[in-house]
Amino acid sequence: MSTLSTLPIVDLDIFLADPLSPAAVAETKKTAYALVTYGALVIKDRRINEEDNEKFLNLLENYFAQSEEIIKKDVRKEWAYQVGVTPELTLKPKCVFEESCMDIIEKLDPNERPLDVSGRPSDPKTRFFWKMSTPPPYETEFPLSSIPNIIPDAFADVWQTTLENWGNTLKTAVENVAELAALGFGLPRSVFTDAAKYGPHLLGPTSSNLAKYGKENTILAGFHSDLNCLTIHGRARYPGLHIWARNTGKRMSVKIPPGKFMLVQAGKQFEYLTGGYVRAGYHEVVVNDQTIETINRRKVDYPDRPLIRISSTFFWHLSSDFTLEPIHELAIRVPEDEEGKTQYPPIKVGAQVRK
């Protein structure tokens, strides 16, 4: 298995200091290369405040340590779980029901395959969605984007501030990655950010109860890709995230180091925009030996803290009313004889999400 160090590291600081400098241009090309080759990259960003992430992780651990009865008050099934809580064993990994996903797994070397999800049709994780979108100044075809956020009663005084502080860090960083990618592909800097200006962006931390699901080789989130445009991951306290590089077929174990680093992956909307030139990145979250080692260490170092794995994840979406179709300059770079070449007929982003 490869490690995170295999992925290119893009320095946002160089780009932000002078976007036109030769060093910045090199970072844009590195971004494009990383997305095409791996579907993912690591970013370095001096604006990341580790304290904000720690506050975020502490708050979410405390929230998900509450009783199931209390947490269920924040479930909004009638709104398709697009705000508030998605309960444990609700989310299903796409490979349970999508044949093309199983084909991807079968083509991998047996030593590089994800854990088998067939015996567990739903993931044992709980999720909280916090919207971080700008309402469009026009009537949208997809009013679900206008539903209000949920603020848990027990944390009403700190919830919004804590989530917004960390969420805005992730949102700003991923928007910069989108700009670097556009320039690296030879496109206008704002081509992706303009398309995402009114996107239904979501801060989407997931919770896995390691006191309950902490046995080795337990699947916390089955093999899948994301349907949004770009996903950015902050540092979690427990390892166990694996990603797959598009053009290598290698499984990589991800452990984001403390400090100014985050992981970015391409989602299906980005794949769609590029006509398959960039493929959505696949990943899973499992309990491995490193997870168990961390569990045992935290039991000693933080005996009063709940054993809950919180992901620090932000889903960056294109605007719901934007028509999703391949950008010609990118789609023509896909080899005509590429195995499994996919068609991408025009579709509104909101319809893609519903589908």
Side-chain angles (χ1 to χ4, degrees):
M1 186 191 304
S2 303
T3 63
L4 182 65
S5 60
T6 306
L7 292 175
I9 299 177
V10 172
D11 193 331
L12 293 189
D13 300 338
I14 293 174
F15 177 77
L16 294 172
D18 182 1
L20 300 180
S21 69
V25 171
E27 295 302 307
T28 68
K29 294 185 181 302
K30 189 193 300 182
T31 302
Y33 166 79
L35 289 170
V36 172
T37 306
Y38 300 98
L41 63 145
V42 177
I43 63 167
K44 179 178 177 291
D45 185 350
R46 59 178 170 76
R47 298 168 298 179
I48 297 171
N49 185 342
E50 186 71 7
E51 185 178 344
D52 286 343
N53 190 32
E54 291 297 312
K55 288 180 179 178
F56 173 81
L57 295 174
N58 284 338
L59 177 61
L60 269 295
E61 284 181 0
N62 292 340
Y63 172 75
F64 284 110
Q66 297 179 112
S67 70
E68 186 177 336
E69 181 180 352
I70 292 175
I71 292 174
K72 278 187 175 179
K73 293 179 181 179
D74 298 327
V75 173
R76 297 295 184 272
K77 184 178 180 180
E78 67 275 18
W79 289 340
Y81 305 114
Q82 289 304 292
V83 294
V85 171
T86 304
E88 182 180 293
L89 299 175
T90 299
L91 298 166
K92 296 177 173 60
K94 66 182 295 182
C95 285
V96 171
F97 52 84
E98 189 170 298
E99 187 174 338
S100 62
C101 184
M102 295 303 296
D103 289 341
I104 291 172
I105 293 175
E106 289 176 3
K107 291 174 182 176
L108 293 172
D109 183 279
N111 292 326
E112 303 292 346
R113 290 176 183 172
L115 293 184
D116 184 11
V117 297
S118 59
R120 185 185 288 277
S122 299
D123 288 333
K125 65 182 180 183
T126 310
R127 184 179 65 192
F128 195 101
F129 266 170
W130 178 261
K131 290 171 48 191
M132 296 196 64
S133 54
T134 300
Y138 49 79
E139 187 173 349
T140 176
E141 293 181 38
F142 307 96
L144 193 65
S145 62
S146 63
I147 57 180
N149 272 320
I150 304 300
I151 298 179
D153 293 338
F155 305 95
D157 57 334
V158 296
W159 191 262
Q160 182 166 348
T161 301
T162 304
L163 267 63
E164 294 280 340
N165 281 350
W166 183 237
N168 279 320
T169 296
L170 300 176
K171 183 173 183 283
T172 301
V174 77
E175 286 174 343
N176 290 146
V177 170
E179 292 177 323
L180 268 80
L183 292 170
F185 287 131
L187 302 173
R189 174 173 173 170
S190 65
V191 67
F192 298 133
T193 52
D194 285 348
K197 187 173 183 179
Y198 303 112
H201 313 303
L202 292 164
L203 181 61
T206 57
S207 163
S208 300
N209 186 338
L210 297 176
K212 186 177 180 180
Y213 298 109
K215 294 182 179 179
E216 190 166 3
N217 292 328
T218 297
I219 300 171
L220 302 178
F223 185 74
H224 68 287
S225 60
D226 295 328
L227 62 80
N228 52 292
C229 188
L230 291 170
T231 300
I232 184 166
H233 304 271
R235 187 174 63 85
R237 286 176 171 157
Y238 297 89
L241 172 62
H242 297 155
I243 70 171
W244 277 259
R246 180 251 180 123
N247 283 341
T248 68
K250 299 295 184 181
R251 181 178 55 170
M252 289 184 277
S253 179
V254 176
K255 185 178 180 182
I256 301 172
K260 310 297 185 181
F261 298 91
M262 288 191 276
L263 172 73
V264 177
Q265 281 192 288
K268 292 299 290 186
Q269 290 171 9
F270 203 94
E271 177 180 321
Y272 219 103
L273 278 179
T274 65
Y277 185 50
V278 172
R279 292 281 183 173
Y282 280 85
H283 50 280
E284 69 175 359
V285 180
V286 301
V287 176
N288 56 27
D289 56 349
Q290 294 178 326
T291 317
I292 293 174
E293 180 182 329
T294 306
I295 290 172
N296 292 334
R297 186 172 64 250
R298 286 189 65 85
K299 283 180 179 179
V300 174
D301 295 343
Y302 304 96
D304 297 326
R305 296 300 301 163
L307 290 174
I308 295 175
R309 185 191 192 279
I310 301 296
S311 71
S312 184
T313 304
F314 187 94
F315 301 101
W316 192 69
H317 283 260
L318 302 179
S319 303
S320 297
D321 297 277
F322 178 78
T323 298
L324 193 57
E325 58 185 330
I327 297 170
H328 177 72
E329 293 91 334
L330 299 181
I332 60 174
R333 302 183 193 181
V334 181
E336 284 296 326
D337 60 349
E338 181 174 285
E339 184 179 358
K341 189 171 181 180
T342 306
Q343 299 300 313
Y344 300 93
I347 185 173
K348 289 288 183 72
V349 169
Q352 176 248 357
V353 172
R354 284 178 178 172
K355 184 179 178 181

